[in-house]
Amino acid sequence: MTDATLETPNESADGPTTDALPLAVATLPLQSNAVEVPSYDPEKLRAGVVHFGVGGFHRAHQAVYFDEIAAKGLSQDWGIIGVGLHRREMKDVLSSQDNLYTVVERGEDHNHARIVGSIVDYLYAPEDPEAVLTALAAESTRLVTLTVTGTSYHVDAHTGEFLPEDEEIARDLQGDGPPETVFGYLVEGLRRRRAAGIKPFTILSCDNVQENGKTTRTAVVSFARLQEPELADWIEENVCFPSSMVDRITPSTSPEDRDEIAEEFGVEDGWPVLTEPFRQWIIEDKFCNERPPLDQVGAKLVQDVEPFELMKTRLLNGSHCGLGYFGSLLGHSSSDEAMRDDEIRAYVRGLMGEIIPLLPDVPGMDLADYRETLISRFSNPEISDQLERLARRSSTKMPSYVLPSLKEALAAGSEHRLLVLTVAGWIEFLGGEDLNGNPIDVQDALLEDLRPVAANKDVAAFAADESIFGELADDARFIAELQEAVDSLRTRGPRETIKQSLKVERN
């Protein structure tokens, strides 16, 4: 998961009241009794990666892999220069603690804390754009990674075309000042490398975007073509954009989390990261510059990422959608709390059961075992993901994570009752109230447009939005089944509707 909201725990509460040691290179020897510390000297690590979007997920995921490359003595040349485009808070925290931070893995049977030293510098682009461009143009930079959220790519999910109308994109295309967007920086960095005769860097997206390598290529090449066609041709011929699939549940860090970590591990960290023990990184083996030894620290390099991507987006992200909607409707606030609800747990398991037969074979993966792993991860009480976060940006998530499975199930004539129920649950969730009339915080860019249509008794109007539903908008069978599911939710309520749906499916 890559869409966790960035909070600012360092500004939200007073500092820890314990005798915790401030996090710094100088205090690492004193920290080693309670936490795992880098076995290498972080100050001797050399930058080889530039990363845009240093949030909690990046620090719990990609940065940990690069930390292990250094810790295993595989190389000291793959340190990370982090880049922030919109918020300065991360720079303030990391700069004050020598770019070190703490990752705490919380499992049902153990907690483990480690200090990560793979970020060698953090640049806040609006304050020093030239420093970012210098880092991108440096020959030592062989890889650029991205966690900038799916909406930042400005590529139409249906047509696959780049959308340059965004104000910041438009200003970057004019080229009158320093870049403001990630693609403005990437293209200018590649322009400087081409002019200097330096090999280009590989650009690796780590966002939850389908075919994220292809999407990134479209955005970068299209941006360059609007500025300088010859540069665009050079990028198309010389730059690699491997796809990847990333997975690690990483909830937002709260001030209370920070204080608990200080108390438990004795580390005074302004912005620690909480995460689960599980992690996964599948990378298309396609690099135009030196490839980091990520395969030696747990990442999997493959020829085709798509089967893994479908497995993760449809089973994990699709189930997260349903869990967010129905958990919220039934008055729950966190994933583990909702998974202790027997009906929701059975619904999530059944939903995955409808999706699994639609998936291709995934090399090295048993999908039945993967489902049980997901059930366990969702239920982990030590990593309590907020349902509000899981249900956020639903108008973007549903067409990517749920509706493709539903379309395939309808075409194949396979069981899809719970997939339809998930769409119905989304419609009711958009209403903004749980079954007891308590408000639900619905966060969606299209909420003002969707909410009044969702309230309509005739769901055909809601499903008529082809930008979301595609050909399903004209599927009379789907519309009838969706109407039945919504009617049941409004008359019987979510719990009884889930029970009835599970009963019918089992029969």
Side-chain angles (χ1 to χ4, degrees):
M1 295 169 47
T2 64
D3 59 350
T5 300
L6 291 181
E7 296 181 0
T8 53
N10 56 304
E11 295 183 353
S12 301
D14 294 331
T17 58
T18 67
D19 294 327
L21 290 168
L23 188 53
V25 170
T27 65
L28 287 178
L30 303 175
Q31 306 276 12
S32 60
N33 290 331
V35 299
E36 181 182 351
V37 301
S39 59
Y40 58 92
D41 184 348
E43 294 184 314
K44 293 183 178 179
L45 206 58
R46 295 174 290 273
V49 184
V50 172
H51 179 83
F52 285 85
V54 183
F57 180 78
H58 168 72
R59 294 190 296 141
H61 191 271
Q62 299 100 46
V64 171
Y65 283 90
F66 284 102
D67 183 70
E68 292 186 356
I69 287 175
K72 289 189 175 184
L74 299 172
S75 174
Q76 300 293 299
D77 295 329
W78 289 103
I80 301 167
I81 295 176
V83 178
L85 295 175
H86 302 295
R87 298 178 61 183
R88 197 181 192 283
E89 294 92 331
M90 187 64 73
K91 176 177 176 58
D92 293 337
V93 173
L94 290 180
S95 297
S96 70
Q97 48 198 47
D98 295 337
N99 296 306
L100 302 170
Y101 64 93
T102 314
V103 174
V104 178
E105 295 179 4
R106 294 204 184 279
E108 294 194 52
D109 55 359
H110 83 287
N111 292 332
H112 176 261
R114 65 186 294 173
I115 294 172
V116 173
S118 55
I119 296 178
V120 299
D121 197 6
Y122 186 96
L123 304 173
Y124 180 52
E127 288 185 351
D128 196 350
E130 188 58 35
V132 177
L133 293 171
T134 298
L136 289 170
E139 190 168 7
S140 56
T141 298
R142 286 95 75 202
L143 177 66
V144 175
T145 55
L146 312 174
T147 49
V148 294
T149 75
T151 56
S152 296
Y153 288 81
H154 302 286
V155 174
D156 188 286
H158 301 287
T159 66
E161 296 180 355
F162 182 60
L163 305 173
E165 293 83 7
D166 176 81
E167 291 183 6
E168 289 185 341
I169 291 284
R171 286 196 293 270
D172 275 2
L173 286 171
Q174 291 175 358
D176 296 333
E180 296 181 47
T181 69
V182 63
F183 300 108
Y185 276 104
L186 291 174
V187 170
E188 178 58 26
L190 289 168
R191 178 185 288 111
R192 294 186 180 193
R193 294 176 81 99
R194 176 176 178 242
I198 298 173
K199 199 173 184 179
F201 43 69
T202 298
I203 302 177
L204 175 60
S205 170
C206 301
D207 280 302
N208 274 335
V209 176
Q210 290 184 320
E211 298 183 301
N212 55 16
K214 180 180 177 181
T215 299
T216 308
R217 170 186 280 273
T218 296
V220 172
V221 173
S222 299
F223 184 102
R225 194 164 300 285
L226 290 169
Q227 276 195 331
E228 186 179 337
E230 289 185 3
L231 176 61
D233 291 339
W234 181 82
I235 291 172
E236 280 196 300
E237 293 174 6
N238 295 280
V239 181
C240 286
F241 300 82
S243 287
S244 74
M245 184 274 274
V246 296
D247 189 10
R248 195 172 207 187
I249 296 174
T250 309
S252 302
T253 304
S254 69
E256 292 75 21
D257 292 328
R258 181 203 61 191
D259 292 346
E260 287 176 8
I261 289 169
E263 182 72 33
E264 182 177 0
F265 298 105
V267 182
E268 185 179 324
D269 186 340
W271 207 333
V273 182
L274 287 174
T275 191
E276 62 176 335
F278 180 93
R279 59 178 169 142
Q280 191 174 38
W281 196 1
I282 312 295
I283 307 170
E284 183 181 6
D285 193 1
K286 186 172 69 175
F287 291 74
C288 57
N289 207 316
E290 186 180 351
R291 186 184 74 186
L294 292 164
D295 55 327
Q296 297 184 51
V297 291
K300 188 169 186 176
L301 298 172
V302 301
Q303 294 303 308
D304 185 7
V305 173
E306 185 179 11
F308 298 91
E309 177 184 77
L310 288 174
M311 174 190 73
K312 187 257 181 174
T313 56
R314 296 194 182 182
L315 287 174
L316 185 148
N317 297 112
S319 297
H320 263 170
C321 290
L323 180 60
Y325 308 147
F326 281 106
S328 298
L329 289 171
L330 287 172
H332 302 298
S333 61
S334 66
S335 56
D336 64 301
E337 176 189 340
M339 290 297 286
R340 290 195 294 272
D341 186 315
D342 290 342
E343 277 73 49
I344 291 182
R345 189 179 185 91
Y347 155 75
V348 170
R349 184 185 297 278
L351 179 63
M352 291 189 205
E354 291 184 355
I355 297 169
I356 285 174
L358 306 169
L359 295 172
D361 290 335
V362 184
M365 298 293 299
D366 182 307
L367 294 182
D369 289 345
Y370 182 68
R371 174 170 70 169
E372 296 310 306
T373 298
L374 291 179
I375 293 291
S376 176
R377 293 170 64 196
F378 294 170
S379 306
N380 181 359
E382 300 300 323
I383 294 295
S384 185
D385 215 349
Q386 295 302 300
L387 297 181
E388 170 272 317
R389 191 184 75 80
L390 300 186
R392 188 181 301 153
R393 297 190 298 109
S394 56
S395 62
T396 299
K397 293 177 179 178
M398 285 293 287
S400 298
Y401 302 152
V402 176
L403 296 181
S405 294
L406 179 54
K407 292 175 186 176
E408 291 180 16
L410 286 164
S414 64
E415 184 58 59
H416 56 274
R417 179 176 292 272
L418 298 179
L419 283 161
V420 172
L421 183 59
T422 303
V423 182
W426 175 37
I427 292 174
E428 289 303 283
F429 170 81
L430 289 171
E433 287 188 356
D434 67 18
L435 81 169
N436 295 317
N438 298 313
I440 297 173
D441 182 16
V442 182
Q443 298 183 32
D444 193 288
L446 300 181
L447 181 60
E448 290 186 7
D449 297 327
L450 292 174
R451 177 167 281 172
V453 187
N456 197 317
K457 291 182 179 181
D458 182 0
V459 302
F462 184 83
D465 188 339
E466 293 189 0
S467 67
I468 294 175
F469 287 93
E471 62 266 28
L472 285 173
D474 300 318
D475 190 318
R477 179 187 177 191
F478 162 65
I479 299 299
E481 292 178 354
L482 180 60
Q483 184 72 62
E484 180 184 356
V486 169
D487 289 345
S488 179
L489 286 173
R490 291 174 178 175
T491 56
R492 296 177 177 175
R495 188 173 301 281
E496 289 304 315
T497 299
I498 291 173
K499 286 182 179 180
Q500 182 63 26
S501 298
L502 290 169
K503 180 179 178 181
V504 171
E505 186 166 82
R506 286 165 184 162
N507 291 338

